[in-house]
Amino acid sequence: MLRHHLVLPVSTGDLLIDPLPPITEREVLLSLVIPTYQERHNIAEIIQLLTLELDRSLPNDYELIVVDDDSPDRTWEVARDLYPQYPHLRVLRRTHERGLATAVVRGWQSATGQILGVIDADLQHPPAVLGKLWEAIASGADLAIASRNVEGGGVSEWSLLRRCLSRGAQLLGLLLLPETIGRVTDPMSGYFLLRRATIAGKVLSPIGYKILIEVIGRGDIGKIVEVGYEFQERQAGSSKVTARQYLEYIQHLLRLRMARSGRFLRFVAVGLSGLVVDMSLLYLLTDASTLALPLALGKLVAGESAIINNFLWNDRWTFADLVRTQTSRRQKFRRFLKFNLICLLGLTLSITLLNLIYNFVIRDRYIANFIAIVSVTLCNYWLNLKLSWRSTDSSAPPKIRT
Ligand code: GDD
Ligand code: MN
C-alpha cells in the first residue's frame, strides 16, 4: 500500500479523468472524494465513520481523498494529522482553484480506484448509505445516487424557502436539459458512486456545486440506481450555499445545453454555409440569365463544391474535439472520403428529392432544393457522427476491465 505522508499537490489543466493505470499498478477498487471548505470540526468524525463503514465492506480496497480548498480554518492540516490512524486517507490541498464541483473532479484525477465517489464532509450524507450504493454498483449500475426524493429519502428541517429553491432548480433543469435532469429524482445530490470508465477521457467543466449533472450530462452513463437517504442536520459549521451557487447552476445548465446540442448547431451552421455555396453555384451555372447549364449537371458541381466546403469547416470546427487523436494526413483523407461518400449518397438523395418535389409537389426549384437539403442534412449529421468522425485511432486507450 503506497503511503502518502504529505498533503498532496493537485493536478492543474483540463479536468480530464484518465483511464486506470494497468491493473497491476492499481491500488484500490473505490476512491471516495470528500470535498472540504471550513470543516475542521467535522473532518475527524467523517473520516472515522467512513473508515468503520468501508473497513467492513471493502477492507484494504478503498481510499479516502480529502480535497480542501485551502480553508482558513486549516481543515487540510487537521485531516493530514489523521494520517497515522488512517492508512487509507490522502489529503489534497488546492491553492489555485475554488469550488465544490471542480474539487471533486481534481480528487478523482488523483484517484486510482475503478469506482469513484463523492460524499460531503459535514455528516449530512449518512456514511451508512455507502453499503447500498456499493451493492448497486457491484450489481452492474454505472451510477448509484443517494437520493432525497425516492422511498426512504427526505430532508431534515429544511426551510420552505430552501425546499422551493431546490425544487425550482430541478424544474429549471428539466426545462433546459430534460435528457439529463430527467434521468434522476435528485439531480442536486452530492452523494454518489460511479464507474470511472463512464467519464474517463472526457473533459469535464462543471461550475459551482452540481457535480452530478456534469457526470450525467457528459458521461457515458448507462444504468442508474437511486438509493433513498435522509439529508441530516449539520452538527458544526455552516452551509456554503449562497445565491451565487444558484446563478452558477443556471450557467452550468446553459453550458451543458450548448455542449449537448452545440455540435449539431455547429453542423447546421456549416450546412448553411454549404447552402450558400450550393445555391450560388446552382444560380451561376444553371439560371437562364447566366450559363444555363442542364439542372442535374449544375447541381452536381454545386453539390460537390458545397461538400468540400462543409468537410473543411466540420473537420476544423464541428468535430474538432474528435480529431485531436487523428491528425495524420491519411486519417484526414479517410475522413474526407467517408464524408464525401455519405454526402454523395446524400447528394443523390437530394437530387432525387429535388426532382420529385419539383415535378410532383412544388413547381419552384429553390423551395424544392431547400426542402431536399434540410431532409438530407439530418441524416448526414447522424451518419457522419457515427462513421466519419468516430475515433478510428487504433491506439485508443484500452477498455477498462470491470
Ligand atoms: N473543496 C471545496 N471547495 N469543498 C467545498 C466548497 C468549495 O468551494 N464548498 C463547499 N464544499 C464542501 C463542504 O465543505 C461540504 O463538505 C460539502 O462541500 C457540501 O457543502 P455545503 O455547503 O454543506 O452544501 P449543502 O449541505 O448546502 O448541500 C450539499 O448537499 C446537497 C445534497 O446532496 C451539497 O453537496 C450540494 O451539492 C448537494 O446538492
Ligand atoms: Mn452541507
Side-chain angles (χ1 to χ4, degrees):
M1 159 59 85
L2 186 64
R3 196 63 189 90
H4 300 283
H5 292 277
L6 302 171
V7 173
L8 300 173
V10 186
S11 27
T12 53
D14 279 351
L15 292 164
L16 182 69
I17 316 280
D18 292 331
L20 271 185
I23 200 144
T24 44
E25 294 161 33
R26 198 179 74 227
E27 289 184 12
V28 295
L29 202 47
L30 168 65
S31 299
L32 187 65
V33 165
I34 305 147
T36 58
Y37 191 69
Q38 307 278 61
E39 300 292 353
R40 70 174 292 119
H41 300 299
N42 291 315
I43 192 67
E45 189 175 349
I46 188 70
I47 298 297
Q48 184 197 20
L49 293 173
L50 288 172
T51 301
L52 282 173
E53 183 66 33
L54 291 169
D55 277 351
R56 222 189 355 258
S57 48
L58 271 176
N60 293 317
D61 213 356
Y62 70 91
E63 60 186 351
L64 301 177
I65 304 174
V66 170
V67 183
D68 185 64
D69 279 0
D70 208 16
S71 298
D73 73 0
R74 301 176 75 84
T75 304
W76 54 271
E77 198 170 56
V78 178
R80 185 208 55 198
D81 294 346
L82 296 170
Y83 273 164
Q85 295 159 264
Y86 301 104
H88 307 288
L89 176 59
R90 296 168 63 193
V91 178
L92 277 62
R93 177 185 179 190
R94 277 203 313 178
T95 52
H96 61 287
E97 279 175 335
R98 252 301 307 262
L100 169 52
T102 56
V104 175
V105 180
R106 292 297 184 200
W108 288 342
Q109 282 181 304
S110 80
T112 61
Q114 186 172 353
I115 307 298
L116 306 176
V118 55
I119 186 170
D120 287 355
D122 56 10
L123 304 160
Q124 291 193 282
H125 292 162
V129 172
L130 266 178
K132 287 192 195 143
L133 295 176
W134 181 257
E135 267 170 41
I137 293 284
S139 59
D142 278 341
L143 177 61
I145 305 166
S147 167
R148 296 161 291 182
N149 305 325
V150 293
E151 197 197 323
V155 289
S156 45
E157 290 80 56
W158 264 17
S159 65
L160 181 64
L161 175 67
R162 176 102 198 235
R163 287 173 199 260
C164 295
L165 283 172
S166 184
R167 283 296 186 181
Q170 189 168 351
L171 258 179
L172 180 67
L174 280 171
L175 285 174
L176 280 173
L177 272 177
E179 74 280 21
T180 300
I181 307 295
R183 292 193 66 184
V184 291
T185 62
D186 188 357
M188 311 299 160
S189 177
Y191 186 12
F192 55 87
L193 302 182
L194 76 152
R195 284 181 192 282
R196 183 195 197 103
T198 60
I199 54 172
K202 298 186 185 305
V203 177
L204 303 177
S205 63
I207 307 171
Y209 260 46
K210 304 306 171 194
I211 182 63
L212 181 58
I213 63 171
E214 184 71 10
V215 161
I216 302 175
R218 293 188 197 268
D220 292 332
I221 306 288
K223 184 178 171 194
I224 298 176
V225 169
E226 292 188 287
V227 173
Y229 84 102
E230 188 77 21
F231 189 70
Q232 308 295 303
E233 265 309 285
R234 242 186 191 270
Q235 308 303 319
S238 60
S239 167
K240 284 82 189 174
V241 169
T242 61
R244 182 177 161 188
Q245 269 72 39
Y246 287 98
L247 289 176
E248 286 176 338
Y249 169 68
I250 295 169
Q251 219 186 329
H252 193 181
L253 286 176
L254 293 173
R255 180 181 288 186
L256 280 170
R257 179 69 278 157
M258 271 314 287
R260 291 182 69 82
S261 35
R263 190 194 303 284
F264 180 68
L265 294 176
R266 294 197 295 270
F267 188 83
V268 170
V270 169
L272 288 176
S273 75
L275 181 67
V276 171
V277 170
D278 190 307
M279 286 288 198
S280 323
L281 282 175
L282 191 74
Y283 168 72
L284 290 173
L285 297 172
T286 65
D287 201 87
S289 60
T290 55
L291 297 178
L293 292 177
L295 184 61
L297 175 64
K299 174 63 187 172
L300 198 60
V301 174
E304 184 52 36
S305 312
I307 287 174
I308 293 168
N309 168 78
N310 291 6
F311 173 76
L312 295 173
W313 281 108
N314 281 324
D315 205 49
R316 278 181 165 274
W317 184 43
T318 312
F319 299 102
D321 59 315
L322 299 180
V323 298
R324 254 192 248 169
T325 57
Q326 309 173 61
T327 49
S328 74
R329 284 225 180 110
R330 186 179 54 80
Q331 285 171 318
K332 182 162 186 168
F333 185 64
R334 248 172 46 191
R335 286 198 300 278
F336 175 67
L337 286 183
K338 284 188 212 171
F339 181 75
N340 218 328
L341 194 64
I342 290 169
C343 291
L344 281 177
L345 285 176
L347 185 61
T348 315
L349 179 64
S350 187
I351 293 173
T352 314
L353 277 176
L354 169 64
N355 280 293
L356 286 174
I357 297 167
Y358 182 69
N359 294 314
F360 300 104
V361 182
I362 305 171
R363 201 76 190 146
D364 177 313
R365 69 182 65 202
Y366 299 110
I367 295 177
N369 195 35
F370 181 76
I371 295 169
I373 290 172
V374 169
S375 335
V376 166
T377 299
L378 289 168
C379 61
N380 269 2
Y381 175 70
W382 190 80
L383 284 172
N384 279 302
L385 182 60
K386 294 296 170 201
L387 301 175
S388 310
W389 272 280
R390 69 175 170 75
S391 175
T392 51
D393 181 355
S394 53
S395 59
K399 266 256 167 260
I400 297 163
R401 272 198 296 148
T402 52

